[in-house]
Amino acid sequence: MYNPTVARLTYRALLGRRRAAILFVLPGLLLLIAAAVRGFNGVDDQVAADVLGGFALATMVPLIGVIAGTGAIGPEIDDGSIVYLLAKPVKRPTIIFTKLIVAIAVTMAFSAIPTLLAGLILNGNGQQIAVAYMVAALVASIAYSALFLLLGTVSRHAVVIGLVYALVWETLFGSLVSGAKTLSVQQWSLALAENVAGEGMVASDVGLPLAVSLLVGVTVLATGYAGQKLRTLKLAGEE
């Protein structure tokens, strides 16, 4: 199910000079914010949780997921170069699974690690806040990568749709509208963080068993459907 050649090509596409520069911006900004907050405000557990929850998990992780998830396959479909890969003796579900692994790895590296470092800067992992949000970023990276890889497979406007989802649904509706919170990857990942952090530091509107079920279900379904869509993609001819 994992093809090293496909993985190498996908890593090369995601970590090219232009895309890598974009990937470094948000983690760098998070670390700058963390350093500034620590310098001006000192050690404050609640402020640390607010920064990591409000910027790292709510904004940075989904945006990096958009870049990595859609970038793992979307550009190849857009420019038609995917036909050369599909013509090789590699099963299409293997292509999707390999690209998903790469997207997850990139998203985790550029979101979970900076989240942990920012938490250590803010309060030295007091109340386990840094580790809690790192765990949330790790599990959110998996679901976001699967969702945005699916978007990159089914739509030529995957980046735009992904940005709307990340900035409007997750950041706005998923944080403010009670009914929408149940359908938010951010809230699912917060359920795990809530069980790691000190009491009262992190809160989620979704229970842990439901959150885990939804994270697994969305990841599996999105990956399976992306593989099915790639099977039906014709080798010749444009729409």
Side-chain angles (χ1 to χ4, degrees):
M1 289 297 292
Y2 181 84
N3 186 284
T5 301
V6 174
R8 184 174 64 253
L9 293 173
T10 306
Y11 275 118
R12 185 179 301 173
L14 286 178
L15 300 178
R17 184 175 302 176
R18 182 180 302 177
R19 198 176 297 273
I22 298 174
L23 286 170
F24 275 107
V25 170
L26 288 171
L29 181 58
L30 172 63
L31 294 176
L32 285 175
I33 291 173
V37 170
R38 174 65 183 268
F40 287 111
N41 199 66
V43 177
D44 188 312
D45 294 340
Q46 188 58 58
V47 171
D50 291 342
V51 171
L52 296 181
F55 182 78
L57 192 62
T59 302
M60 183 185 74
V61 180
L63 288 179
I64 291 177
V66 170
I67 297 170
T70 62
I73 196 169
E76 291 177 290
I77 294 178
D78 290 342
D79 63 20
S81 61
I82 190 70
V83 298
Y84 299 103
L85 181 58
L86 297 180
K88 302 296 182 182
V90 181
K91 294 181 180 179
R92 299 188 183 189
T94 297
I95 294 173
I96 288 295
F97 183 77
T98 302
K99 287 181 174 294
L100 174 63
I101 295 299
V102 173
I104 290 172
V106 171
T107 306
M108 285 182 171
F110 283 90
S111 60
I113 295 174
T115 297
L116 175 63
L117 294 176
L120 294 175
I121 292 171
L122 285 163
N123 76 334
N125 195 37
Q127 299 289 323
Q128 293 291 307
I129 291 173
V131 171
Y133 277 101
M134 179 194 69
V135 170
L138 287 172
V139 297
S141 296
I142 299 172
Y144 283 133
S145 296
L147 282 172
F148 296 133
L149 180 65
L150 172 60
L151 274 179
T153 306
V154 302
S155 175
R156 293 181 181 274
H157 307 289
V159 174
V160 175
I161 298 172
L163 289 174
V164 170
Y165 175 85
L167 296 176
V168 178
W169 183 266
E170 288 282 358
T171 304
L172 184 60
F173 288 98
S175 299
L176 301 177
V177 181
S178 58
K181 292 180 179 180
T182 306
L183 301 177
S184 167
V185 174
Q186 178 188 341
Q187 291 296 320
W188 305 342
S189 59
L190 280 173
L192 279 82
E194 185 178 12
N195 282 265
V196 176
E199 186 176 354
M201 289 292 101
V202 182
S204 172
D205 290 274
V206 182
L208 182 60
L210 177 60
V212 172
S213 299
L214 290 170
L215 284 166
V216 173
V218 165
T219 302
V220 171
L221 289 174
T223 304
Y225 189 56
Q228 182 62 35
K229 292 299 292 183
L230 196 61
R231 279 199 191 99
T232 62
L233 191 68
K234 295 181 180 179
L235 290 176
E238 294 292 331
E239 295 179 358

